[in-house]
Amino acid sequence: MRSLLKVSATLSLVGCLFASMAASAGPKIEFWTLDSGLRVYYVGIDDLPMLDINVTFDAGSARDGDKYGLANLTLSMLDEGAAGKDADELSEAFESVGANFYASASKDMANIGLRTITLKKPFDSAVNDWLSVIKSPEFPEANLERLKKQLMVSFEGAKQRPSSIAGKAFNENLYGDHPYANPGSGTEESIVTISTDDLKAFYKQYVVEENAMVSIVGNVSRAEAEALAKRVADVLIAGKKPEPIPEVKPLTESKTVFIPFPSSQATVIMGQTGYKRGDPDYFKLYLANHPFGGSGFTSRLMKEVRVKRGLSYGVSSYFSPSRELGPFVMSLQTKIAQVDEAKKVMTDMLATYLKEGPTKEEIEGSKLNISGGFPMNIAGNSNIGNYVDVIGFFGLPLDYLERFTDEIDSITQEQAKEAMQRRVNPDAMLTIVVGGESKEDEKKDGASK
Amino acid sequence: MQRILSLGAPMRNCRLLLAAITLVTSSAMAESTATTPEKAPSVSEKVLKNGLKVLVKEDHRAPIAVVQVWYRVGTSYEHEGITGLSHALEHMMFKGTTKRKSGDFEVVLSRIGAQNNAFTSQDYTAYYEVLAAKHIETAFELEGDRMRNLVLDKDEFAKEIEVVKEERRMRTDDNPNGVMREQFNAVAYLNNPYRAPVIGWMNDLDHMNLDDLKDWYKKWYGPNNATLVVAGDVDPEKVFELAEKYFGHYEKSVLPEVKPRTEIPQIGKREIRIKAPAKVPSFRMGFKTPGLITAKQGKVEEWEPYALDVLANVLDGGSSARLTKKLIRGKEIAAGTGVGYMSYGRMPEMFIMTGVPATDVSVDTLRKAFMEEIELMKTTLVTQDELDRVTAQVIASEIYQRDSVQHMATTLGMLESTGIGWQLMDEYEEKILAVTAEQIQTVAKKYLNEDQMTFAELVPQSLTEGAK
């Protein structure tokens, strides 16, 4: 592959979700609320005999408290035993009808989903099993112990990947004692403290109707979707919505963390806190970042760092909005001897961009790219399902997709410049460097918290 | 946010995602005849006078299209000393032509919102644009131009080869499992070109020069060595017209003779140990097997590759498959397992198994358990339940994969570029569903033997000492 853009884009899935939203014809999203309180989002698509149904909860790792990894383990344990079936029987139940069960937790969200074909017999079987897992998870002790051991191996694996080390250090140093510092899957120290009682308590508190939304995307009618949604509500306990998570305090000064590693390249991540969902500067910052480091080979960073200087295979910048402030990130990898040059180039380029702003041509080109890319981003059930979940979870307006292009088009060159200047502070940049030998004046583990 | 697009590990998907277009009724889903969805439109094919083959797959679900140009050249066409040349040339293909200066290509596509990229493998190099269907002519114009008019500039190359080296450092040199995979291949194949890494050995990259690239481009980038694949909201006749307009004027190339370089028979087990800075031990084992191409050439029974494919799924096609059920759960001796039957090469490849032992479990213990599972395949027939499960997954997976036009285009291009032929896409599901338990046993006995095995173990070394 010539470019890692796709890979880097996934780093900020939620951030890039609306990467290229525009034009007027978005999918028709229907929304209703059940009497019992469940919020339902439905898109009927009948050209493939398949359905995605996904329940999303405000129950991501930000809800872990001091037991880092709790949300992840709770969701991972669902298909380890439920409704009288053990893990073997559950996997057999879904896979024997070609269905995919999935459950996971990210920073803000937890979700329990199902992808199934809609031929009657396999569909009924998959949906029944899926609902019974949501209703009656058993959290068997022995399976938790096994998952913890598997996690320990994955923690070790992360220690041999410079990109994982850098990402973890970036989050820890950016967020400090905010829940977003949590690496999601937890730590060696935290997961040993987690018991099945903790999982059950977490499930009971957060995986509840008042804290949920369901998206139904695919080959079912509105009436069938209504019936399905009711069945989801029936297996959820009512519960209540949790308090909002705390606000993030941005860094106030610049900081560099160096972590030695026996690699031929150094991995560099520079950044700070950016913005959150619903931020009034959202569209301005989205557009402003695009020509700087968000548009691949036409971006300033790529042209300078890769094309002109040959310093790195990939380089990009992005904002990744979340419930509270997500990060603004610039990153690259380069051989050890070039790391100072690469850091300086990124720093200087950001300073120049903040000072001068995007050119008229850049703004025009980015607007064309964003609107032109719209049809690709809403093609297919998978893409549509992902958008619907974000719209529902963050409470964005139903016509959000339709409005996106107009919002972007209405922004002027000056507005983009002003927002970037006001919101990005070059004097409070966090820089993580992983790779190279330890230097005398730096702590060996680099964790200068 | 996570949506699992298809089943199992990525390796596995490569196989399942090839499932055919037609739904076939099966015992597991006998009712499906009543509601079987419409057969997707078949592929339209045309070969231009200069030998360019054009394949069109209509899909009118969304107003988008994928345009791909596939060249039959990759690492397996290279020889020692020039490894990585096909991939390096792929990088240089974005650097300008006699009509367009470097960088313009990206600007033109960016302004219509098109995504574009390229990929190189052992057997092919492919370039693609994903864009609004109304803009496909732009992609044709750009791809037509760079098929013959590339300008290979010395200064551009000097920088780009450094980018390629950074790519190599990132993917392989600083990734212990990448190092293991690379050295595993170099040991498993002795005289066959699959032994070389696609990105090339670093020493070969260090000594690559512009003349090498010019020569390579001239040799292989011609209409009669390419396949143009278009999928999406398009009209085949219109596509054929555009192909004629932007590619039809090129003369046929005189293509170099491709020597067979058939791998010599393996006559005994090969084992290597890779000592690299790492934390997690792991291993990779592979057995020489025939591929779909071998069956097409009539060298093995037609069903053999399909039997190997189902065998791989019985072992590792999901959470209910044997390795996860018995070794990750069950005995709890594995933290991770993978099985992949590499059947889509232009030459035969291997049946690959990878393992990561659970904490405090040795590589030898897990390896032994893998061998026991293979032995079981030889001695005991797989159950009807297991066959039914694979059937259900193949049928469902085929539907899920149709959600992506890119996927369909890529499958067509790959099959065509390796000489297997795109028609296999239409036959695949039926042939998979026809596999019997006895056939699985037969291929297990015939191919999964230690004498045809290569085994590589990653032996982790300290991360804090001996920094490079």
Side-chain angles (χ1 to χ4, degrees):
Chain A
M1 291 269 276
R2 168 175 168 261
S3 157
L4 263 190
L5 288 177
K6 294 256 161 46
V7 179
S8 57
T10 61
L11 290 174
S12 58
L13 183 58
V14 177
C16 292
L17 219 41
F18 298 105
S20 301
M21 276 304 117
S24 51
K28 185 180 166 235
I29 303 170
E30 297 179 46
F31 168 73
W32 63 93
T33 306
L34 299 185
D35 292 341
S36 55
L38 184 65
R39 291 177 298 130
V40 187
Y41 294 81
Y42 160 71
V43 182
I45 308 171
D46 64 2
D47 48 17
L48 286 177
M50 60 186 271
L51 181 80
D52 289 297
I53 181 165
N54 187 30
V55 202
T56 304
F57 304 88
D58 182 339
S61 59
R63 299 288 179 191
D64 281 353
D66 55 3
K67 290 184 187 286
Y68 281 6
L70 179 55
N72 175 55
L73 271 173
T74 304
L75 275 295
S76 302
M77 279 288 287
L78 294 183
D79 58 350
E80 291 289 334
K85 290 190 167 115
D86 67 15
D88 289 350
E89 290 163 334
L90 285 172
S91 60
E92 183 68 28
F94 289 113
E95 291 176 355
S96 67
V97 294
N100 297 334
F101 170 91
Y102 55 94
S104 65
S106 56
K107 198 159 74 172
D108 289 319
M109 313 178 197
N111 68 82
I112 310 174
L114 177 75
R115 168 165 280 197
T116 173
I117 55 177
T118 49
L119 306 177
K120 188 170 182 343
K121 197 171 158 187
F123 177 79
D124 287 350
S125 169
V127 170
N128 288 341
D129 284 316
W130 179 71
L131 289 167
S132 73
V133 171
I134 299 174
K135 184 179 183 183
S136 314
E138 292 167 357
F139 304 108
E141 187 78 46
N143 298 57
L144 175 61
E145 290 312 307
R146 193 193 82 244
L147 287 192
K148 283 187 193 174
K149 284 184 196 159
Q150 283 176 244
L151 271 179
M152 290 294 185
V153 176
S154 79
F155 293 154
E156 291 296 291
K159 289 179 199 163
Q160 69 189 37
R161 280 191 304 275
S163 59
S164 301
I165 297 168
K168 185 165 177 278
F170 183 78
N171 269 341
E172 285 171 0
N173 285 281
L174 185 64
Y175 288 111
D177 55 6
H178 188 274
Y180 283 174
N182 180 348
S185 53
T187 65
E188 275 105 341
E189 297 76 31
S190 72
I191 65 168
V192 295
T193 70
I194 295 173
S195 68
T196 53
D197 285 344
D198 293 324
L199 306 185
K200 288 171 191 167
F202 185 88
Y203 199 76
K204 201 174 162 190
Q205 183 178 356
Y206 294 108
V207 181
V208 297
E209 188 172 0
E210 279 297 310
N211 194 33
M213 60 157 281
V214 61
S215 65
I216 300 171
V217 176
N219 187 30
V220 292
S221 66
R222 163 83 190 225
E224 287 166 323
E226 286 178 6
L228 263 176
K230 283 209 181 83
R231 294 180 69 194
V232 172
D234 286 345
V235 297
L236 293 172
I237 52 174
K240 61 178 186 197
K241 209 167 171 48
E243 293 297 312
I245 59 171
E247 288 189 3
V248 173
K249 292 187 199 75
L251 298 178
T252 50
E253 55 186 36
S254 289
K255 176 179 177 180
T256 297
V257 176
F258 170 73
I259 302 173
F261 193 82
S263 50
S264 58
Q265 279 184 325
T267 298
V268 182
I269 303 182
M270 303 176 86
Q272 60 188 217
T273 48
Y275 57 80
K276 56 185 169 185
R277 287 279 167 204
D279 192 297
D281 287 328
Y282 181 99
F283 295 103
K284 291 175 197 161
L285 292 171
Y286 181 86
L287 179 63
N289 178 65
H290 196 268
F292 179 64
S295 61
F297 278 87
T298 56
S299 73
R300 288 191 184 192
L301 283 179
M302 199 70 144
K303 283 195 281 195
E304 182 69 23
V305 174
R306 170 165 162 162
V307 179
K308 191 172 156 205
R309 295 173 183 257
L311 287 177
S312 181
Y313 177 63
V315 59
S316 64
S317 69
Y318 60 85
F319 288 97
S320 177
S322 40
R323 182 71 85 193
E324 290 301 327
L325 297 179
F328 167 67
V329 171
M330 302 186 285
S331 64
L332 55 75
Q333 320 81 25
T334 190
K335 69 179 173 190
I336 303 284
Q338 297 172 159
V339 67
D340 290 337
E341 179 188 355
K343 272 195 310 191
K344 183 169 189 317
V345 171
M346 278 206 294
T347 306
D348 290 351
M349 288 188 71
L350 181 64
T352 304
Y353 194 67
L354 291 176
K355 187 165 162 243
E356 296 170 3
T359 65
K360 186 164 167 284
E361 291 72 28
E362 284 175 327
I363 286 295
E364 187 214 341
S366 285
K367 286 180 178 177
L368 286 170
N369 178 264
I370 291 165
S371 60
F374 178 76
M376 277 73 81
N377 286 286
I378 54 157
N381 297 34
S382 296
N383 284 332
I384 292 169
N386 286 335
Y387 291 137
V388 170
D389 287 342
V390 166
I391 286 171
F393 185 79
F394 293 107
L396 306 176
L398 289 186
D399 63 352
Y400 192 79
L401 297 181
E402 277 131 72
R403 280 178 32 209
F404 196 91
T405 309
D406 290 343
E407 295 279 2
I408 291 287
D409 277 345
S410 72
I411 295 162
T412 64
Q413 178 190 357
E414 189 52 41
Q415 284 173 322
K417 175 184 169 183
E418 185 276 331
M420 197 77 178
Q421 269 177 354
R422 181 162 44 79
R423 297 296 295 271
V424 175
N425 178 3
D427 299 322
M429 293 296 281
L430 171 63
T431 303
I432 308 288
V433 179
V434 177
E437 292 191 44
S438 182
K439 292 169 193 167
E440 290 286 311
D441 55 344
E442 277 156 321
K443 283 190 186 176
K444 190 157 191 187
D445 65 1
S448 50
K449 284 197 265 196
Chain B
M1 184 133 4
Q2 181 191 13
R3 294 235 167 206
I4 295 173
L5 297 183
S6 48
L7 304 159
M11 229 177 180
R12 168 128 279 84
N13 297 343
C14 295
R15 240 167 330 86
L16 284 180
L17 52 73
L18 266 180
I21 295 309
T22 324
L23 276 184
V24 180
T25 3
S26 73
S27 58
M29 293 177 195
E31 71 196 319
S32 66
T33 37
T35 47
T36 293
E38 279 178 40
K39 195 170 172 174
S42 60
V43 174
S44 307
E45 174 182 327
K46 183 177 180 181
V47 181
L48 305 191
K49 283 195 184 120
N50 60 16
L52 178 71
K53 185 178 274 193
V54 187
L55 301 177
V56 184
K57 170 80 187 159
E58 288 180 72
D59 179 341
H60 302 287
R61 304 174 67 218
I64 67 168
V66 183
V67 177
Q68 299 176 331
V69 182
W70 295 69
Y71 294 95
R72 282 182 289 276
V73 64
T75 327
S76 72
Y77 292 77
E78 298 163 1
H79 58 70
E80 287 175 6
I82 63 161
T83 65
L85 189 51
S86 305
H87 172 256
L89 178 57
E90 179 223 295
H91 275 239
M92 292 301 292
M93 281 284 281
F94 294 81
K95 296 292 183 186
T97 65
T98 49
K99 288 183 187 164
R100 282 200 170 74
K101 67 179 179 23
S102 185
D104 280 4
F105 185 94
E106 303 289 354
V107 172
V108 170
L109 289 173
S110 177
R111 289 172 71 89
I112 55 172
Q115 302 155 6
N116 80 98
N117 212 327
F119 50 90
T120 305
S121 88
Q122 302 279 3
D123 294 332
Y124 43 78
T125 310
Y127 302 83
Y128 67 87
E129 288 77 35
V130 187
L131 69 188
K134 65 184 176 189
H135 290 309
I136 58 168
E137 185 161 1
T138 304
F140 274 70
E141 190 194 340
L142 292 169
E143 292 297 351
D145 183 26
R146 67 175 167 177
M147 174 177 277
R148 274 287 165 79
N149 304 324
L150 188 66
V151 172
L152 286 158
D153 176 79
K154 194 160 170 288
D155 294 336
E156 293 267 19
F157 175 67
K159 284 176 292 186
E160 197 61 28
I161 196 68
E162 294 306 318
V163 171
V164 173
K165 290 181 200 170
E166 293 293 353
E167 182 180 0
R168 190 193 146 82
R169 290 182 188 107
M170 186 188 71
R171 289 190 195 282
T172 306
D173 298 334
D174 290 345
N175 171 359
N177 286 297
V179 172
M180 176 167 71
R181 194 178 314 117
E182 183 172 271
Q183 299 199 9
F184 170 87
N185 283 334
V187 170
Y189 299 106
L190 294 182
N191 64 313
N192 178 282
Y194 283 162
R195 69 197 314 264
V198 171
I199 199 159
W201 300 108
M202 190 62 102
N203 189 253
D204 292 347
L205 299 180
D206 285 340
H207 296 93
M208 197 176 283
N209 61 49
L210 197 65
D211 287 340
D212 296 331
L213 277 94
K214 285 181 176 166
D215 172 63
W216 208 241
Y217 180 65
K218 190 158 171 268
K219 268 183 182 153
W220 299 108
Y221 280 64
N224 47 325
N225 196 40
T227 308
L228 173 63
V229 182
V230 182
D233 189 18
V234 295
D235 165 29
E237 286 310 315
K238 175 76 179 159
V239 169
F240 296 148
E241 276 172 35
L242 288 173
E244 194 63 60
K245 181 174 173 187
Y246 291 103
F247 297 88
H249 56 291
Y250 292 134
E251 297 281 319
K252 268 187 185 182
S253 291
V254 179
L255 295 170
E257 181 191 358
V258 180
K259 310 273 190 190
R261 300 174 71 184
T262 307
E263 176 68 8
I264 57 169
Q266 185 168 341
I267 49 174
K269 182 168 58 180
R270 295 173 195 158
E271 296 201 34
I272 55 168
R273 286 156 67 84
I274 310 295
K275 294 165 91 169
K279 298 287 280 184
V280 180
S282 66
F283 63 86
R284 183 178 186 86
M285 52 201 273
F287 300 88
K288 298 280 171 58
T289 47
L292 288 158
I293 193 75
T294 327
K296 186 179 181 182
Q297 291 162 346
K299 293 174 184 167
V300 296
E301 295 287 342
E302 197 194 18
W303 50 263
E304 286 193 6
Y306 298 95
L308 283 162
D309 209 344
V310 176
L311 194 165
N313 275 286
V314 169
L315 283 177
D316 202 39
S319 182
S320 64
R322 291 187 183 183
L323 297 191
T324 300
K325 187 174 168 178
K326 295 164 81 173
L327 307 183
I328 293 183
R329 295 195 296 270
K331 292 182 190 167
E332 299 193 10
I333 57 174
T337 61
V339 178
Y341 166 48
M342 322 293 278
S343 58
Y344 294 106
R346 69 180 181 92
M347 295 178 283
E349 296 178 73
M350 283 184 279
F351 185 97
I352 302 280
M353 301 178 77
T354 58
V356 178
T359 310
D360 299 330
V361 173
S362 71
V363 160
D364 282 348
T365 302
L366 186 56
R367 169 187 179 164
K368 191 161 159 278
F370 273 29
M371 295 310 291
E372 284 167 6
E373 289 303 323
I374 289 170
E375 197 54 35
L376 196 60
M377 285 289 179
K378 298 177 186 175
T379 56
T380 312
L381 293 176
V382 301
T383 67
Q384 190 59 45
D385 278 353
E386 287 175 308
L387 289 177
D388 287 347
R389 190 257 301 162
V390 173
T391 295
Q393 286 177 305
V394 167
I395 290 173
S397 176
E398 180 276 327
I399 293 168
Y400 304 151
Q401 301 296 350
R402 271 197 272 156
D403 200 30
S404 161
V405 285
Q406 278 167 276
H407 169 74
M408 290 190 290
T410 303
T411 303
L412 288 171
M414 179 184 68
L415 290 171
E416 198 56 31
S417 301
T418 50
I420 296 169
W422 64 263
Q423 294 83 355
L424 182 121
M425 199 166 90
D426 289 342
E427 305 159 7
Y428 181 85
E429 182 174 298
E430 194 180 345
K431 289 191 173 155
I432 280 286
L433 300 191
V435 168
T436 66
E438 288 77 14
Q439 288 173 337
I440 294 171
Q441 187 174 40
T442 303
V443 292
K445 284 181 179 169
K446 192 169 171 185
Y447 299 111
L448 304 189
N449 300 309
E450 283 211 333
D451 281 352
Q452 271 89 55
M453 183 174 92
T454 302
F455 183 90
E457 175 185 351
L458 173 64
V459 186
Q461 305 295 298
S462 169
L463 287 170
T464 50
E465 289 161 37
K468 286 175 197 176

